[in-house]
Amino acid sequence: MLCISFTFPLCPGGIWERSPCSRGTCFHAVYLWPLGCRKELCTCSFRGLRWNVKEKAGSELRMRISSGLTFRSTKGSWIRNFSRQGSSRSVELFVPPSPPLDPEKVRELQRFITLSKKLLVMTGAGISTESGIPDYRSEKVGLYARTDRRPIQHSDFVRSAPIRQQYWARNFVGWPQFSSHQPNPAHWALSNWEKHGKLHWLVTQNVDALHTKAGSQRLTELHGCMHRVLCLNCGEQTSRWVLQERIKVLNPTWSAEAQGLAPDGDVFLSEEQVRSFQVPSCVRCGGPLKPDVVFFGDTVNPNKVDFVHSRVKEADSLLVVGSSLQVYSGYRFILTAREKKLPIAILNIGPTRSDDLACLKLNSRCGELLPLIDPH
């Protein structure tokens, strides 16, 4: 049996401490309130469940959720228990099979992290599959393995109004579910590493904002974020939630049922379902709108690339989490790390483009392994 414990911060001024686990399949942490703290606790969330709690001296609150999460407070000590047994079917559906955790590999990763003083971490879609978001390339469970659908191309989106209509109709249907996904223990672990000064910089290829939801701040979203929308003409930026409400107003009687879930907030709809959908334009100039993400076939902003190269050159080690590194926009930073002779570790289920460059390769679930690592 494996006992997993991890630490992550939640409220400024408070401290998370490790707590021994009496069971072999769960992990938990205890939150100690700063003396006299009576302000509202940050919004807590897990697997789409949210609640706000206010600290009250001597209060006791207990909630048991069907997902298997128990949340209890008593006299200012907060305990969260996450059990893998409570994982939803949608989560298991998108995570490829992996071997059991190897204790020796765990020790090797712990040694790698302990020796790192300025660690750069780069994450990919594999860290978010445990939050219920499918990826493209995972064997048997990725989009490419499950369907013959392919992601939208940047050039098609820019030049074709019908393509934009199709995209926004599908995204409108998929947005409520996509935006409700919550960080999993891997996201929380990396946020905790940052709080302890272990993580020099975090670069994510994901557009799901889960690192931001987990509290990461030393963060570059390499491919942008689905929670923002840009005008292709004037560059005006708006919230995706604001756009969702505008779409509802434009399409009061339109409705469609998704025929399947894809990565990046997309769903599958038929041409007939899309035909009557009305697409909003920029409120400032009337131009076409696009999510603030890098579509396939587009390029990352050169200033952002230079910025990440600088962070890699400042680092003394690099950890890849949940990425096959097939896309050059992320792979190029591995090449920079190799040129700088940085030690490279890779945590990903299945082979990657850089396995031969890594001093350590682990085929495990990100959310199972990262919480085991002590960032001190």
Side-chain angles (χ1 to χ4, degrees):
M1 286 213 175
L2 178 68
C3 180
I4 308 173
S5 296
F6 80 112
T7 305
F8 61 90
L10 187 61
C11 179
I15 303 171
W16 278 105
E17 289 190 350
R18 293 178 181 274
S19 176
C21 181
S22 59
R23 302 172 63 188
T25 57
C26 68
F27 52 89
H28 57 275
V30 177
Y31 183 71
L32 304 178
W33 281 86
L35 184 63
C37 177
R38 298 190 63 83
K39 65 180 180 179
E40 184 173 340
L41 182 64
C42 312
T43 300
C44 303
S45 54
F46 187 70
R47 298 201 190 286
L49 303 172
R50 296 191 182 108
W51 54 87
N52 289 322
V53 186
K54 291 187 177 180
E55 188 268 344
K56 295 180 180 178
S59 65
E60 179 170 338
L61 174 65
R62 188 177 186 89
M63 290 183 284
R64 186 175 296 276
I65 311 299
S66 59
S67 66
L69 168 67
T70 301
F71 192 95
R72 174 170 56 86
S73 82
T74 163
K75 297 184 179 179
S77 295
W78 292 85
I79 299 176
R80 273 182 162 188
N81 290 304
F82 304 95
S83 172
R84 182 171 171 182
Q85 184 179 0
S87 298
S88 64
R89 181 177 178 274
S90 64
V91 174
E92 299 297 323
L93 187 64
F94 302 128
V95 181
S98 61
L101 280 177
D102 181 348
E104 180 55 35
K105 287 289 188 179
V106 175
R107 284 191 288 270
E108 288 183 34
L109 181 58
Q110 178 66 71
R111 191 177 308 118
F112 180 90
I113 298 302
T114 299
L115 293 174
S116 301
K117 304 306 178 186
K118 298 189 73 173
L119 174 69
L120 186 137
V121 176
M122 183 163 65
T123 67
I127 195 174
S128 293
T129 54
E130 292 174 62
S131 289
I133 300 176
D135 67 2
Y136 288 107
R137 295 180 178 83
S138 286
E139 186 178 356
K140 298 181 181 179
V141 295
L143 178 72
Y144 295 162
R146 290 184 290 113
T147 76
D148 59 359
R149 304 290 183 103
R150 292 297 179 264
I152 193 168
Q153 297 293 309
H154 175 78
S155 58
D156 294 337
F157 185 93
V158 171
R159 67 175 174 77
S160 172
I163 292 292
R164 291 196 294 274
Q165 180 192 41
Q166 181 187 64
Y167 173 84
W168 282 119
R170 288 159 42 170
N171 190 266
F172 172 68
V173 175
W175 176 250
Q177 180 176 353
F178 180 80
S179 60
S180 71
H181 290 295
Q182 298 300 316
N184 64 58
H187 297 98
W188 288 114
L190 292 177
S191 177
N192 182 46
W193 292 9
E194 178 184 322
K195 299 298 189 299
H196 282 86
K198 174 59 67 176
L199 191 149
H200 175 60
W201 206 260
L202 174 61
V203 180
T204 185
Q205 301 170 86
N206 301 336
V207 297
D208 50 35
L210 294 188
H211 285 299
T212 299
K213 290 182 179 182
S216 294
Q217 296 182 1
R218 299 179 66 84
L219 170 68
T220 295
E221 294 171 319
L222 190 63
H223 296 151
C225 180
M226 288 293 300
H227 289 248
R228 300 185 298 267
V229 179
L230 292 176
C231 173
L232 289 174
N233 286 355
C234 71
E236 176 80 359
Q237 184 180 109
T238 57
S239 162
R240 179 62 186 81
W241 280 110
V242 171
L243 182 65
Q244 189 77 358
E245 295 306 312
R246 290 187 59 207
I247 293 176
K248 289 179 182 178
V249 172
L250 279 176
N251 298 271
T253 61
W254 186 87
S255 64
E257 184 176 344
Q259 300 173 356
L261 181 66
D264 302 338
D266 202 3
V267 298
F268 303 142
L269 297 177
S270 67
E271 291 184 9
E272 183 179 354
Q273 289 175 301
V274 171
R275 192 171 297 123
S276 62
F277 182 81
Q278 300 297 308
V279 181
S281 57
C282 176
V283 295
R284 182 179 177 184
C285 73
L289 298 176
K290 173 184 172 294
D292 186 15
V293 300
V294 178
F295 281 143
F296 281 75
D298 194 9
T299 57
V300 179
N301 183 295
N303 293 332
K304 186 179 288 188
V305 173
D306 291 343
F307 178 86
V308 174
H309 274 305
S310 297
R311 301 293 80 74
V312 174
K313 292 173 182 177
E314 293 169 355
D316 64 1
S317 56
L318 190 150
L319 172 65
V320 177
V321 177
S323 176
S324 63
L325 300 170
Q326 293 301 316
V327 179
Y328 181 75
S329 60
Y331 175 67
R332 66 177 124 202
F333 302 117
I334 306 301
L335 299 180
T336 299
R338 181 187 65 175
E339 292 172 5
K340 197 171 179 290
K341 295 182 170 53
L342 299 184
I344 299 169
I346 299 176
L347 168 58
N348 186 70
I349 300 175
T352 80
R353 190 176 181 178
S354 298
D355 285 356
D356 60 327
L357 304 180
C359 63
L360 176 61
K361 173 62 166 58
L362 305 106
N363 286 283
S364 301
R365 290 188 177 209
C366 307
E368 285 188 345
L369 180 51
L370 292 186
L372 292 173
I373 305 302
D374 187 343
H376 295 90

